[in-house]
Amino acid sequence: MNTREYPSVRDLWEERAALWADREFLVHEDPDTSKVERYTYARMDREMKAAASMFASLGVEAGDRVGLHMCNRPEFVECFLALAAIGAVVVPIGPASTAAECALVVEECGIRVLVSEFPEDSWRLEGVAVVCLDDGSYEAMKADRAGAPPPRPEVRPGDLLEIMYTSGTTSRPKGVMFTHANAVFSGKYVAWELSLSEADRYLTTMSVTHVNLQLSAFMPAVYTGAALVLVRRYSASRMWSQVRRHRATVIQAMAMIVKTLMAQPVASGERDHSVRAVHYFLPLPKGTKEAFEERYGVRLLNNYGSSETLVGVVTDLPDGRSKWPSIGLAGPGYDVRIAGENGSALPPGECGEIQVRGQAGVSLMAGYWRDEEATRAAFTADGWFRTGDCGYADAEGWLYFVDRMGDIVKRAGENISACEVEVAILEHPDVADVAVLGISDSIRDEAVKAVVVPKPGRRLTAEDVQDFLSLRLSFFKIPSVIEFRDGLPRGEYGKVLKNQLKTQKSTI
């Protein structure tokens, strides 16, 4: 398996747009306004070509990085396809990111053009051209270039397509690099995983800036001709009516979505729908899973992966085979093993690190942006990707997820680096020490908790810390639970014993 086996995203899109010009490609709904927009392949092709010409007029060339800072909206799809067409590199930035977080990504990637929902004067980014979506600038600039053919440089499958920043176990997020081959491989893989076809309608509320939507929904839709139903934001009270109204056959979900849908009042006719599969990420308690499937008359297809592995590398099978709470079997293009501390494969039943082997730039990320050291550290000497997650396999090869080996808090689908939050809190002049950890949350899977040690003689409140962080971190990274102590429990080598913090009471 190598990059030459796959076309570029541009070549794939051109083929599909020519083949399926009049077929519905994208449906977008804004739950706050109830506005629905529909795009055929032909319409999206026109819009993305106008966007490509606009980017070229701004001086964007092959290899240049362009930031896309927006929520779920059709313009993200237009820009993604447009940048892929001219060989530029997509850098998605979450809409909840603060100015400081955005500035970090802009600087590290050398971004000179940023498409955003916010006007240029709210950014104060020197040397960066900001194209605003909501003041009419974006549409006006596209209209000026309508009909102008965009440049068509050589774009190869192994060329860089995207840099996606994701939280890791360090204080700074890392830029995961995806090639064109990565994206097309993902489309083909998920088409297999979900038995996806042109007859399907795939509804998602996941964020367009995240890997789950891009590589497990958007690219599979392009690959197969399925219609992508993109909802601007998740609303528990509206989602199931959206699923029924748009005749969705496949939907994406995570623990928060399942739990909040179960909390909704039972509606007349809620089992009258077209859903054949719920593409789900990581297990639920057996009782919750069974209650959800029984109530809504659906099947959860479980799978496990990360940004670095692109898709659900371990998955239930498309023929219906599963062993809940197993996360599944290794899919095509991947090998998976459970490794001990010495790196050797462990026998069935023994718990160790889940490690994945694939082809870099095809079935695995191409590496971390400008961080060769982190890229090397992510792989074993014999080429296995270290997930940092703990699990085990049974005698038949089914894999089971146990816990995270690193300090990642998983809150409502967001991966939050505990270290990143700790570094931000330590910037407060009254803080002497801090530890951040995830605690159980019945709705969001995990909540962010901070245990703070004030400097001697200083007094702090939870509101003081949260207000301080509000200008430094996205809202979902800010701890919802803050506890104050005289000190932190530490082990022999100074490592904070976070397990004790989950059970001990405050010392202040």
Side-chain angles (χ1 to χ4, degrees), residues 204-227:
T204 180
T205 61
M206 300 291 191
S207 172
V208 290
T209 60
H210 285 198
V211 70
N212 288 341
L213 188 145
Q214 290 186 28
L215 300 187
S216 286
F218 166 53
M219 285 307 302
V222 173
Y223 192 87
T224 62

Side-chain angles (χ1 to χ4, degrees), residues 92-105:
I93 303 173
S97 299
T98 65
E101 291 169 319
C102 291
L104 170 67
V105 174

Side-chain angles (χ1 to χ4, degrees), residues 29-64:
E29 178 175 331
D30 185 340
D32 298 315
T33 64
S34 299
K35 182 181 179 181
V36 175
E37 285 190 273
R38 300 181 185 276
Y39 291 74
T40 61
Y41 275 83
R43 179 185 175 189
M44 180 56 70
D45 194 54
R46 290 193 299 272
E47 301 292 349
M48 84 86 177
K49 284 177 179 174
S53 293
M54 176 198 74
F55 285 124
S57 72
L58 292 170
V60 176
E61 298 180 345
D64 288 348

Side-chain angles (χ1 to χ4, degrees), residues 18 27 78 238 399:
V27 179
E78 294 175 14
R238 296 180 177 98
L399 289 131

Side-chain angles (χ1 to χ4, degrees), residues 73-87:
R73 51 196 297 167
E75 291 91 342
F76 185 93
V77 178
E78 294 175 14
C79 290
F80 186 100
L81 292 170
L83 294 169
I86 62 175

